[in-house]
Amino acid sequence: MTRPAHRPQARPGTGRRRRIPADPPPWQPRPRPSGRPATALRLAVAALLAAALVLRPVGVHRVAVLALTAVFACYLLRHLVFLAAALRPAPAAPPPPPDGPPDRPLRVTVLVPCHNEARVVDGLTTALAALAHPRDLLRVVFVDDRSTDGTGDLLERAAADRPGWQVLRRAADAPGGKSAALNDALALADGEVVVVFDADHQPTPGCLRELLRPFADPQIAAVQGRCVVRNPRDSMVARLVAVDYLCGYLVNMAGRHRVYGLPAYGGANCAVRTRLLRELGGWNVASVTEDTDLSLRIWLSGHRIGYAEQAVDTELAVTGLSAYYRQRYRWARGHQQVCRDYRAALLRSPHLRLAEKAEAALFLYVFHVPVLCVLAVLLAGIEVAVPGLPAAGLLWPIAPLMMVGPVLEVGGGLIRAGAGRRDVLPLLLFPALFAVSMLLCTQALLDAWAGTRYAWVKTERTARAPNTALDAG
């Protein structure tokens, strides 16, 4: 983010002019304390908590347990609300007026950032060529982001005989990261709407048509489609990720859309109005989760994000536990950063109602919840190890609150997808995957507090050929 501008202003009673900082735009966070002051504040708070724990261990323990119970209860209620909303039949779209003008197709620029994507380029270009959209209103810009595996040459060959397709090659010394690549490509966008696909994605032919429907509402600034894992049979990790996506898109995203009108921009299989995107400054290169960052800026600017559940594309899931850890660590680190950057601006926003602010805050803190689960486990261990503390009964409500909500959402996703019995069995391993999430989210938070630098890291592709999706509907 850029620093807020400054404007001169005369001080009453004098002829002198002094410079005072202008208020930042509503989508831009105010500068936060950082470095030594922030570290000193954290150390002071930790010292106070340690002193309280030594002087009043029973009281501190009870307060901590009650606070954790309240937080987990809030998230459980959120899960239940989303599940109930997602399982209801979707409201029918209002029919267009019989005497109204026909829908005008939008001019679209598709942006695809690519870094060492030779394994997936063929499937991507084949899927993009099959998109159902007028050819004269569709432009495709591939960004070869310093690839070393021949990706750029493959893209050049694919674009050679297709009008409206081009390849932008970034210099070897260009700053890295998906956001930087997209910002370079944004300069070439001439459509009313920019659509982003990741290189491993393969949109269905009707994906673009469905993705553009919500833009009939002028208040909608961006639209998120639904992503489906197409390689769930590659490994148990890939199968669990596929089920997680069913939960995320068919229950969580659908519930947030139907209840609050606050689905998030997900970074791929998504669209955004070009003019607004440029007004907001493009994608934030300082964030490793540019999608979550852009979601907050859109909400804070007074606009909305739509959700097109029928705009389906498929993507590759990671197949190994180490790749899963690295990917989700990046998500946690970036999401926690966005939380720190925008939480104050969110509370001040004049564009969101109180209930919407509450939901947006719960969304911002979702990668902090596994950290609180680690704290709950530590408290349970302290109860056993330290005589005189309350019996473990106070912690009994926490265990179901931690797990019931996510399990119900996963079950709802499987129901909506019409999954078979074979796809339900991996649910037995979800507690282990949740334990991994507890570790990586805690590591991400501690690394951020310690000031450890972190840059965007590409997810490695492990599958070469298309695979059968768990749900392609």
Side-chain angles (χ1 to χ4, degrees):
M1 303 297 292
T2 57
R3 293 183 180 273
H6 290 71
R7 64 176 184 270
Q9 178 172 321
R11 185 168 51 189
T14 73
R16 302 176 59 186
R17 296 166 69 88
R18 64 187 180 95
R19 298 179 69 84
I20 63 173
D23 290 336
W27 61 83
Q28 179 172 311
R30 296 179 186 271
R32 296 181 288 109
S34 59
R36 293 181 179 177
T39 302
L41 179 61
R42 295 190 189 105
L43 291 175
V45 171
L48 288 175
L49 290 176
L53 186 59
V54 171
L55 297 175
R56 299 280 184 177
V58 174
V60 171
H61 183 84
R62 285 176 176 168
V63 170
V65 170
L66 291 175
L68 289 173
T69 303
V71 171
F72 294 144
C74 286
Y75 277 93
L76 173 60
L77 179 61
R78 181 175 183 258
H79 289 306
L80 294 176
V81 168
F82 290 169
L83 179 63
L87 292 179
R88 290 199 307 264
D99 56 348
D103 291 339
R104 178 182 64 85
L106 296 173
R107 186 170 183 82
V108 175
T109 302
V110 174
L111 306 183
V112 186
C114 302
H115 176 69
N116 291 338
E117 304 287 6
R119 290 185 175 185
V120 295
V121 161
D122 288 344
L124 165 71
T125 55
T126 300
L128 292 179
L131 286 174
H133 197 75
R135 297 295 105 182
D136 60 328
L137 297 178
L138 179 62
R139 185 180 187 185
V140 179
V141 180
F142 299 97
V143 187
D144 177 23
D145 188 14
R146 304 162 300 144
S147 298
T148 58
D149 65 345
T151 295
D153 295 334
L154 293 173
L155 293 173
E156 293 278 10
R157 286 198 290 270
D161 58 349
R162 292 188 172 100
W165 287 29
Q166 71 179 103
V167 179
L168 171 64
R169 294 207 186 218
R170 304 188 75 216
D173 59 348
K178 179 180 176 181
S179 298
L182 286 173
N183 283 336
D184 284 356
L186 181 60
L188 303 176
D190 56 2
E192 300 162 86
V193 171
V194 165
V195 174
V196 177
F197 293 110
D198 282 347
D200 66 314
H201 284 229
Q202 295 179 10
T204 56
C207 177
L208 192 56
R209 180 181 62 247
E210 297 297 330
L211 204 58
L212 297 177
R213 286 188 191 277
F215 285 110
D217 181 353
Q219 190 67 13
I220 295 295
V223 178
Q224 177 61 46
R226 179 160 68 95
C227 301
V228 175
V229 169
R230 70 172 177 272
N231 64 323
R233 311 306 179 197
D234 282 359
S235 70
M236 185 56 69
V237 171
R239 185 175 296 185
L240 291 173
V241 172
V243 173
D244 184 42
Y245 270 46
L246 294 180
C247 163
Y249 284 99
L250 293 179
V251 178
N252 194 282
M253 187 78 79
R256 282 160 52 198
H257 173 60
R258 296 182 185 182
V259 178
Y260 299 102
L262 287 177
Y265 172 94
N269 190 21
C270 50
V272 59
R273 294 189 190 272
T274 309
R275 184 175 66 177
L276 177 66
L277 179 59
R278 285 174 171 150
E279 289 176 358
L280 295 178
W283 287 274
N284 185 358
V285 296
S287 175
V288 295
T289 49
E290 82 296 332
D291 46 2
T292 306
D293 183 278
L294 184 57
S295 294
L296 267 293
R297 285 187 285 146
I298 289 173
W299 293 340
L300 295 174
S301 66
H303 296 83
R304 293 291 169 145
I305 299 171
Y307 176 48
E309 190 173 292
Q310 301 306 315
V312 179
D313 81 347
T314 64
E315 67 172 280
L316 295 175
V318 295
T319 57
L321 194 58
S322 61
Y324 176 87
Y325 195 98
R326 289 192 299 272
Q327 181 189 60
R328 299 302 171 107
Y329 175 90
R330 175 172 63 83
W331 293 5
R333 186 73 182 264
H335 203 98
Q336 291 168 358
Q337 174 191 346
V338 172
C339 180
R340 293 189 295 272
D341 286 344
Y342 293 98
R343 57 193 175 192
L346 177 67
L347 295 178
R348 297 193 306 266
S349 173
H351 302 298
L352 297 172
R353 299 189 298 269
L354 182 60
E356 294 168 342
K357 289 181 180 181
E359 162 53 26
L362 291 174
F363 167 74
L364 277 182
Y365 278 96
V366 72
F367 278 92
H368 290 74
V369 175
V371 182
L372 297 181
C373 294
V374 172
L375 180 58
V377 172
L378 293 176
L379 286 176
I382 291 174
E383 283 184 350
V384 174
V386 180
L389 287 183
L394 270 178
L395 281 174
W396 280 111
I398 291 184
L401 289 177
M402 288 167 55
M403 297 302 301
V404 168
V407 169
L408 288 176
E409 274 201 13
V410 169
L414 291 170
I415 291 172
R416 290 204 62 202
R421 184 179 303 174
R422 181 181 178 184
D423 298 314
V424 177
L425 294 178
L427 292 181
L428 299 176
L429 295 177
F430 259 90
L433 205 63
F434 185 73
V436 174
S437 297
M438 291 166 58
L439 294 176
L440 65 89
C441 288
T442 302
Q443 181 188 350
L445 187 63
L446 294 178
D447 286 347
W449 283 357
T452 304
R453 299 188 65 181
Y454 181 73
W456 185 86
V457 177
K458 173 185 174 291
T459 300
E460 293 300 324
R461 315 298 182 202
T462 54
R464 182 180 297 273
N467 201 324
T468 302
L470 182 61
D471 165 39

